[in-house]
Amino acid sequence: MTRAEQSPTAADSGASATQVFRANQQYHVGDGASPERVSAVVKALLDGVHETIRTYEVTYSEFQAAKQWLIEVGEGGEWPLFLDVFVEHEVEEVAAAGQQGSKGSILGPYYVPDAVKLPSVTSLPMRADEQGRRLVFAGQVLDTGGAPVAGAELDIWHADHEGYYSGFAPHLPEGNLRGVVVADDDGRFEISTIEPAPYQIPTDGPTGQLVQAAGWHPWRPAHLHLIVRAPGYRPITTQLYFAGGNWLDNDVAQATKPELVLDPQPQSDGTARQEYDFVLEPTSQ
Ligand code: MBD
Ligand code: FE
């Protein structure tokens, strides 16, 4: 196969993102919110739509084109992609208000639960010829009082050297560059992997078409995803970026924060090393 034939399409990643979301989500339409809250939130959302239509004198053909686009986002399975790129950062900011411990960021559409469990000093699963600069990511998980969190889990996943995620690109082996690393009794970990490339929203699907039609760019800066968790602590979902990388200052998903930028230092063995500690906040009292 040529590289072009192997390249994942928007449909590959969109359909799998929707399947993964439906398999994992614990929420159901109609659960939880009171009629008063549903009414208030949905009315505010619709008020915004109506106001936009009046302000921009939106035409019938634009209205019908929008309807067509919305149908295609659903059929292409791109609602997780679209919502995580353009909306999730705001939900994360509201959720994080008043929380202590390490900074978080958005989950995104490419998390797959139940990755392989790995010891505290480990390499992520990768291909024999995996490309990219070698990265050693090491540190300690502490609580807000400064005590180590023994056995904390670092659920880590990231894109490869071309910006593709395993599970959402048919040419990649299942579980590639994904793992649940279990910290040692001092909360310490040392993870060997490769540096990912920036992520590009697929240009052949409806989200990419919108981005192009609006003259925006489709890029996220290179990033590692992590969920750091331990019983009795609030889990931290976060992303870590790389100093000097492209798109750091204009992430299409608006999910960067200064505290989340790494600067791995080149070592004599050719790897780059980064120390980073996580701080977890206790859930109760
Ligand atoms: C990603 O890799 C990602 O992390 C987010 C938040 C959205 C789209 C692709
Ligand atoms: Fe990502």
Side-chain angles (χ1 to χ4, degrees):
M1 264 196 287
T2 67
R3 197 67 198 73
E5 282 167 332
Q6 287 186 336
S7 272
T9 62
D12 289 327
S13 52
S16 355
T18 292
Q19 276 166 21
V20 167
F21 178 78
R22 298 187 91 161
N24 297 322
Q25 60 119 3
Q26 317 112 38
Y27 308 101
H28 301 279
V29 175
D31 273 4
S34 67
E36 291 74 23
R37 184 163 172 82
V38 174
S39 174
V41 172
V42 175
K43 188 165 186 310
L45 205 53
L46 291 174
D47 285 348
V49 173
H50 301 159
E51 171 78 21
T52 304
I53 291 168
R54 279 194 303 274
T55 303
Y56 291 92
E57 298 181 340
V58 170
T59 66
Y60 252 99
S61 68
E62 288 167 336
F63 174 57
Q64 302 299 13
K67 221 185 272 178
Q68 179 64 33
W69 180 82
L70 288 160
I71 290 167
E72 286 172 16
V73 174
E75 286 176 349
E78 286 198 359
W79 279 118
L81 174 69
F82 179 84
L83 290 169
D84 293 354
V85 167
F86 292 109
V87 180
E88 190 184 355
H89 65 89
E90 213 59 44
V91 180
E92 194 277 330
E93 197 172 309
V94 168
Q99 289 177 340
Q100 294 178 287
S102 296
K103 282 273 182 224
S105 186
I106 64 180
L107 176 69
Y110 300 140
Y111 174 61
V112 179
D114 303 318
V116 63
K117 281 231 178 150
L118 299 167
S120 62
V121 178
T122 192
S123 278
L124 294 188
M126 64 177 80
R127 293 164 286 183
D129 60 348
E130 195 74 44
Q131 302 296 297
R133 178 161 79 144
R134 265 45 202 166
L135 173 69
V136 178
F137 179 70
Q140 193 176 17
V141 183
L142 304 163
D143 67 18
T144 42
V149 181
E153 288 186 354
L154 299 105
D155 199 337
I156 179 169
W157 70 104
H158 64 82
D160 72 359
H161 185 59
E162 295 185 309
Y164 294 120
Y165 285 88
S166 64
F168 303 90
H171 69 291
L172 295 179
E174 195 186 329
N176 207 57
L177 302 176
R178 296 175 181 272
V180 178
V181 178
V182 182
D184 71 12
D185 290 346
D186 290 323
R188 292 190 188 277
F189 61 90
E190 184 176 295
I191 305 166
S192 296
T193 184
I194 56 103
E195 260 186 45
Y199 169 83
Q200 182 182 23
I201 294 173
T203 50
D204 59 330
T207 304
Q209 281 162 3
L210 169 70
V211 165
Q212 199 189 5
W216 304 336
H217 80 252
W219 292 96
R220 298 210 60 225
H223 55 278
L224 307 176
H225 288 270
L226 288 122
I227 301 173
V228 184
R229 61 171 88 85
Y233 296 92
R234 180 179 67 82
I236 292 174
T237 299
T238 195
Q239 297 190 32
L240 297 169
Y241 304 90
F242 297 90
N246 287 333
W247 319 109
L248 247 191
D249 298 324
N250 53 0
D251 178 7
V252 66
Q254 298 180 56
T256 63
K257 298 177 187 180
E259 297 86 347
L260 302 180
V261 180
L262 307 177
D263 193 8
Q265 296 302 304
Q267 308 292 298
S268 52
D269 64 0
T271 66
R273 187 179 174 91
Q274 176 71 49
E275 302 278 342
Y276 196 90
D277 293 344
F278 293 95
V279 178
L280 299 183
E281 175 186 29
T283 39
S284 47
Q285 2 59 113

